[in-house]
Amino acid sequence: FSAAIAITEQPVSVSVPVGYSFTLRCRAEGCTLLQYQWFCQHQSVCCQIPGATKQDLPITAQQTQLYTCRINDLYKNAVFSDWVKVEVHQCVARGLPPRLWQGEPVIVLNPTEQSVEVGKPLQLQCAAMGIPAPSYQWYRNGNLLEHQKKKKLWITHAKVSDSGTYLCCASNSHGEHWTNAVDIHIGRETLPPAEHLQLYRLVFLLATGKIALLVGNNRYQHHPNLMAPVTDVFELTLLLEQLGFQVVSLLD
């Protein structure tokens, strides 16, 4: 029976820079002499690694692949180790681990600040190198986000309450490292900055009269009520008053 072979040390996933050399380890115990054979998988193609018949598999990282080790005894019992991922980072310039790197987490991709409309998806991304491969935990405003434990933070439909300052902690047995903190704003659809600028220029060009009439339509017969006209009229009123206009504001 395969239970006659017991794996005592499973290989572990790693996340390393391209060209980095390291060793995958697997250890097992059995009633007879044990034989080892390593396999790798890249883009769903799995193949036996020629000559990889030892407990340790030396690797020089070239591309991201999966690895497993088969152990069999003289009675033709066989077991497979866990599949592990060797994640290889091709573009690591600054932050490249020194030769004395012990495998502690090194951040190689930080999340970026974003403004997202309400109801649209929010995606934040980070990545870290480490041996073993780091685990991830996201935080918003210093509070741990219970279900956000991957490199990518994904919120399908963003809410206003999802706004805040986000960062991620990458950790392994050697320590932890934090990404940069980024501000995420979730709001209702607004004019892009370029259109804001055009609108302001138009207001300045036309600022020769003394009275401005602003009409904001909030209710439509065949469309849900809008919120934007209220804020738009308010903001334009302030702007026009600063330019010396007397403003008459009407809604609906």
Side-chain angles (χ1 to χ4, degrees):
F1 298 97
S2 60
I5 304 171
I7 295 179
T8 57
E9 182 180 349
Q10 294 276 8
V12 297
S13 296
V14 302
S15 183
V16 296
V18 64
Y20 190 81
S21 296
F22 62 97
T23 301
L24 289 180
R25 292 168 50 89
C26 184
R27 298 288 186 273
E29 294 177 348
C31 299
T32 72
L33 184 69
L34 298 179
Q35 297 172 324
Y36 292 78
Q37 176 62 59
W38 289 88
F39 295 80
C40 68
Q41 178 177 321
H42 178 64
Q43 294 178 344
S44 77
V45 178
C46 182
C47 60
Q48 181 173 305
I49 304 173
T53 56
K54 301 236 170 69
Q55 294 175 321
D56 292 346
L57 176 67
I59 295 175
T60 298
Q62 296 300 329
Q63 61 184 356
T64 296
Q65 294 191 127
L66 300 175
Y67 291 84
T68 187
C69 185
R70 184 190 67 206
I71 306 105
N72 51 274
D73 62 16
L74 301 182
Y75 297 122
K76 297 185 179 179
N77 297 314
V79 295
F80 280 85
S81 73
D82 295 340
W83 280 96
V84 294
K85 185 177 185 179
V86 173
E87 185 178 42
V88 180
H89 296 274
Q90 299 289 343
C91 302
V92 183
R94 291 179 301 176
L96 183 70
R99 291 184 179 180
L100 297 177
W101 185 48
Q102 297 297 307
E104 66 275 11
V106 174
I107 301 293
V108 294
L109 177 64
N110 279 287
T112 56
E113 294 190 3
Q114 294 182 43
S115 292
V116 178
E117 293 174 25
V118 170
K120 295 294 178 68
L122 167 64
Q123 179 179 297
L124 295 176
Q125 195 169 352
C126 73
M129 297 187 299
I131 303 174
S135 56
Y136 297 87
Q137 177 61 63
W138 287 88
Y139 294 79
R140 182 182 68 238
N141 298 333
N143 299 314
L144 182 146
L145 297 172
E146 188 66 37
H147 302 295
Q148 300 291 355
K149 297 178 181 293
K150 297 181 179 179
K151 283 188 292 187
K152 290 183 180 179
L153 176 147
W154 176 260
I155 297 173
T156 310
H157 303 290
K159 305 185 296 292
V160 173
S161 58
D162 292 320
S163 296
T165 302
Y166 285 76
L167 48 70
C168 187
C169 178
S171 61
N172 64 11
S173 54
H174 295 289
E176 62 183 30
H177 206 100
W178 297 77
T179 66
N180 296 340
V182 294
D183 292 326
I184 303 301
H185 175 71
I186 313 295
R188 303 195 181 280
E189 185 175 3
T190 58
L191 287 171
E195 291 184 33
H196 272 303
L197 195 58
Q198 290 174 356
L199 184 60
Y200 293 160
R201 283 175 179 161
L202 183 62
V203 170
F204 275 101
L205 287 171
L206 299 178
T208 54
K210 293 295 183 183
I211 299 176
L213 173 64
L214 292 179
V215 179
N217 281 330
N218 202 33
R219 302 174 192 274
Y220 289 86
Q221 187 175 353
H222 301 294
H223 194 283
N225 289 352
L226 304 177
M227 289 301 299
V230 179
T231 53
D232 289 349
V233 167
F234 177 73
E235 290 177 3
L236 280 172
T237 298
L238 292 179
L239 178 63
L240 290 167
E241 285 176 347
Q242 289 172 2
L243 296 172
F245 281 82
Q246 287 183 317
V247 181
V248 178
S249 299
L250 299 175
L251 282 174
D252 298 322

